[in-house]
Amino acid sequence: MATALKASDLHNHTVASHGLGTVEEMYKAGRDRNLRFMGFAEHTPLPPGIKCNIYTGDLNHEFPIYIQKVLALKDNPNGPQPLLGMELDWLPSKREWMDNLVRSAPYDYVLGSLHYIDGYSTSNIPLWQKWPDTPSRFGRFEAYFSEMVNMVKSGLIQIASHPDFIKFRVWPDFQLWLESKGSRDYLAAALESMVRHDVAMEINAAGLRRDFHEPYPCPVIMRMARQAGVRITFGSDAHKPEEVAMDIDRLHDYAASFGFKNHLVFVGRQPLEFGI
């Protein structure tokens, strides 16, 4: 039974990776914005041989500290209910590494993200320089959503985060792909997998802060997700205190415009449903 919820934000980062706020500072921002649930979803350490150049901290050292700080908030909350999550990079060749991470702490939920395809970061300009023409980029979009099916059915995640993140650097080509023959088949397979494996889809505000000013995911995916019966969560993807809960109201309106009436919050990896 859905109940009213003032606000939830399940996607917040800290100085442990490449954010600009401590756990305590981000939590204070959530309290100041009257959140009812404040979810932390820090990036996880990466396995040997894979590097993210935008991380400013040493996640191998900082990630366990991040966990302890969020758990300390859960022991003595003085604002919104704090939730411990993580943003897991889906790396299919590193299954044991991923399994160990997911078991490493009492997470309330795990966000699954496709930041890497074929060994390249999907937000990395050299990836798209490697495939400069539109047809070859279409192949990357197809590979991305095909891999999303594998991520969703893995049993490791509760939420598929920013599901069309791959448009970040190549938004115009992504729009062309959406209208190309067969593209909807790849999208439908990913969305149907979410329904089949009870994985929620994140509505993410970070795209509103990009040049294309569009949430993740785009309207085409939103419409298909609603028709497929996919359930949703909301996240600001904040990397500094002033971004906590940013545009959450706009995300609610965006989801409602496609007919979504409820959204989820995960506590102890169990979904709680609330009205929009």
Side-chain angles (χ1 to χ4, degrees):
M1 182 70 178
T3 58
L5 173 67
K6 192 162 190 178
S8 66
D9 183 354
L10 302 188
H11 196 152
N12 292 279
H13 295 284
T14 72
V15 293
S17 59
H18 59 138
L20 299 177
T22 64
V23 167
E24 295 81 6
E25 290 167 340
M26 299 295 280
Y27 185 70
K28 180 181 182 300
R31 182 175 67 237
D32 292 345
R33 289 160 180 74
N34 297 312
L35 286 175
R36 181 173 168 187
F37 290 94
M38 170 83 178
F40 292 87
E42 191 53 277
H43 293 288
T44 60
L46 291 168
I50 298 178
K51 183 179 180 182
C52 180
N53 291 328
I54 66 173
Y55 290 167
T56 56
D58 177 3
L59 273 166
N60 286 307
H61 173 72
E62 296 293 339
F63 194 74
I65 298 173
Y66 150 80
I67 291 172
Q68 293 307 311
K69 287 187 174 183
V70 177
L71 292 177
L73 283 179
K74 289 167 72 77
D75 289 339
N76 188 28
N78 60 349
Q81 182 172 341
L83 301 173
L84 176 64
M86 69 171 174
E87 185 172 4
L88 176 70
D89 279 303
W90 174 253
L91 300 169
S93 65
K94 305 292 183 181
R95 181 58 193 251
E96 183 178 0
W97 167 83
M98 292 190 293
D99 288 343
N100 290 336
L101 275 172
V102 168
R103 293 194 299 263
S104 66
Y107 298 106
D108 288 295
Y109 55 89
V110 176
L111 291 170
S113 292
L114 282 165
H115 290 129
Y116 297 89
I117 291 291
D118 296 338
Y120 287 86
S121 167
T122 54
S123 62
N124 194 349
I125 291 174
L127 167 73
W128 304 110
Q129 293 172 337
K130 181 178 175 66
W131 294 292
D133 59 292
T134 297
S136 65
R137 291 180 175 186
F138 281 14
R140 297 306 91 207
F141 303 148
E142 293 167 1
Y144 176 90
F145 286 101
S146 293
E147 196 55 56
M148 187 174 293
V149 173
N150 295 328
M151 179 181 75
V152 167
K153 70 182 184 182
S154 70
L156 296 180
I157 70 170
Q158 284 69 53
I159 304 167
S161 64
H162 41 53
D164 57 353
F165 180 76
I166 197 167
K167 71 186 179 187
F168 177 34
R169 297 290 188 187
V170 286
W171 187 85
D173 277 330
F174 187 70
Q175 303 310 303
L176 293 174
W177 179 73
L178 288 173
E179 300 306 320
S180 68
K181 183 179 180 180
S183 64
R184 308 298 170 93
D185 294 338
Y186 290 94
L187 299 176
L191 295 169
E192 289 165 5
S193 184
M194 292 179 201
V195 174
R196 188 178 310 114
H197 297 282
D198 204 20
V199 168
M201 181 183 76
E202 181 192 42
I203 315 301
N204 182 302
L208 293 167
R209 305 192 291 272
R210 305 302 182 194
D211 291 344
F212 46 80
H213 303 296
E214 176 183 87
Y216 300 108
C218 64
V220 168
I221 295 177
M222 289 290 289
R223 191 173 301 111
M224 292 180 65
R226 178 69 184 99
Q227 292 170 349
V230 174
R231 298 200 288 178
I232 61 172
T233 64
F234 293 118
S236 66
D237 209 342
H239 287 72
K240 48 189 175 182
E242 54 265 40
E243 291 177 349
V244 173
M246 180 178 283
D247 292 317
I248 289 293
D249 289 343
R250 288 180 65 183
L251 296 186
H252 279 234
D253 292 341
Y254 182 61
S257 73
F258 293 95
F260 288 96
K261 299 183 183 304
N262 304 306
H263 71 290
L264 300 180
V265 171
F266 286 87
V267 179
R269 306 202 193 191
Q270 298 301 310
L272 304 176
E273 189 172 62
F274 299 91
I276 291 177

